[in-house]
Amino acid sequence: MANFHVIIPAAGSGSRMAADLPKQYLPLAGRPMIAWTLEPFLSCERISSVHIALSPDDSHWQAHAPHHPKLSILHCGGLSRAETVLNVLKGLHVEQSDWVLVHDAARPGLTPQLLNYLLDELQDDAVGGLLATPVADTLKRADAKNRVASTEPREGLWQAQTPQMFRYGILKEALIQAGEPPTDEAQAIEALGFSPKLVIGQLRNFKVTYPQDLALAEAMIAAYHQEARK
Ligand code: C5P
């Protein structure tokens, strides 16, 4: 049976957060954000290994993040997220058919239930896929002055989340062949002619991007743990 491996690319600058620390180390509900991000994978028995890819000059890891026998720390960040992920894949010695889940460091809201749902939905799929949510808001296209140029139809549009889950061999091939760095793994798989499956995600798995997102993430984590303790 194919094993499941996880890659967390965490080598971005997080410039939109405008903080002194890289955003994955910012405190959130009493722990660094990265500790929340890692937890569902480290505690899931179906996951064989977890690999976090840091920037080569990241000196914060030791002070902020957990140790775990399943977790390997790699200082192999590249110039783009795709390059960072490919650097990890090149050093992974796993079966071509093993599954690789790529998950953003700044999505601390993934729950064990949502992770298991994704694994269940995709483990027998020919291609793989990703968590995503159908677009709920009306979409406006802006002109250069941030005035509305047009209203765009939202039918059939989804917002991509992570984890994105593909077979090791196909994902590596897709990222090697990608020209302009794709913004996510699915885009590279699409360029090979495959159609990744959209697995319905949850709002709580949003990407913490701006300073005001921290309070929302903290509230959701606190509410989830309060509910779990009942
Ligand atoms: O910049 P963005 O929020 O899209 O980054 C998504 C994920 O990719 C983050 O976890 C970030 O740390 C990671 N990343 C990376 N290497 C880069 C750029 C982004 O690992 N060169």
Side-chain angles (χ1 to χ4, degrees):
M1 218 184 73
N3 290 312
F4 298 101
H5 307 278
V6 174
I7 296 176
I8 314 263
S13 63
S15 52
R16 286 170 292 187
M17 188 56 80
D20 294 340
L21 275 177
K23 68 178 167 183
Q24 66 261 21
Y25 302 121
L26 292 176
L28 202 60
R31 301 169 75 187
M33 187 189 309
I34 190 69
W36 295 112
T37 304
L38 286 166
E39 185 158 290
F41 301 109
L42 296 178
S43 63
C44 177
E45 286 183 0
R46 298 165 78 183
I47 302 288
S48 304
S49 67
V50 181
H51 308 267
I52 179 156
L54 306 175
S55 144
D57 54 7
D58 185 325
S59 56
H60 304 283
W61 175 263
Q62 290 296 346
H64 291 97
H67 295 268
H68 192 282
K70 230 161 51 172
L71 180 63
S72 67
I73 321 302
L74 307 160
H75 286 267
C76 67
L79 293 178
S80 65
R81 171 208 168 108
E83 195 181 319
T84 301
V85 172
L86 183 56
N87 287 346
V88 181
L89 290 173
K90 283 178 175 168
L92 266 188
H93 301 290
V94 303
E95 299 292 329
Q96 295 288 310
S97 59
D98 273 0
W99 288 107
V100 174
L101 288 82
V102 182
H103 186 59
D104 292 328
R107 290 188 192 270
L110 181 70
T111 59
Q113 293 82 351
L114 194 52
L115 172 60
N116 275 305
Y117 176 61
L118 179 74
L119 299 182
D120 291 343
E121 285 292 303
L122 294 181
Q123 64 182 353
D124 298 320
D125 195 86
V127 177
L130 61 149
L131 287 178
T133 54
V135 169
D137 295 328
T138 298
L139 293 176
K140 303 293 184 191
R141 184 170 298 281
D143 66 14
K145 293 181 181 153
N146 276 358
R147 313 271 325 180
V148 175
S150 60
T151 298
E152 301 288 333
R154 68 174 174 222
E155 280 70 39
L157 291 185
W158 292 56
Q159 285 183 281
Q161 299 186 340
T162 68
Q164 305 207 350
M165 172 171 154
F166 298 102
R167 305 267 182 193
Y168 172 79
I170 296 174
L171 180 58
K172 191 167 149 199
E173 188 57 32
L175 291 176
I176 287 172
Q177 288 200 19
E180 184 72 11
T183 57
D184 66 359
E185 291 63 46
Q187 193 184 359
I189 299 283
E190 292 153 41
L192 290 187
F194 297 110
S195 297
K197 182 173 177 180
L198 294 164
V199 178
I200 196 148
Q202 289 175 4
L203 180 61
R204 56 164 298 123
N205 185 35
F206 78 104
K207 183 161 70 175
V208 177
T209 306
Y210 300 104
Q212 61 270 28
D213 296 345
L214 286 167
L216 181 59
E218 192 154 57
M220 286 197 314
I221 287 170
Y224 177 78
H225 286 272
Q226 206 170 17
E227 194 57 35
R229 273 197 295 269
K230 277 185 190 166

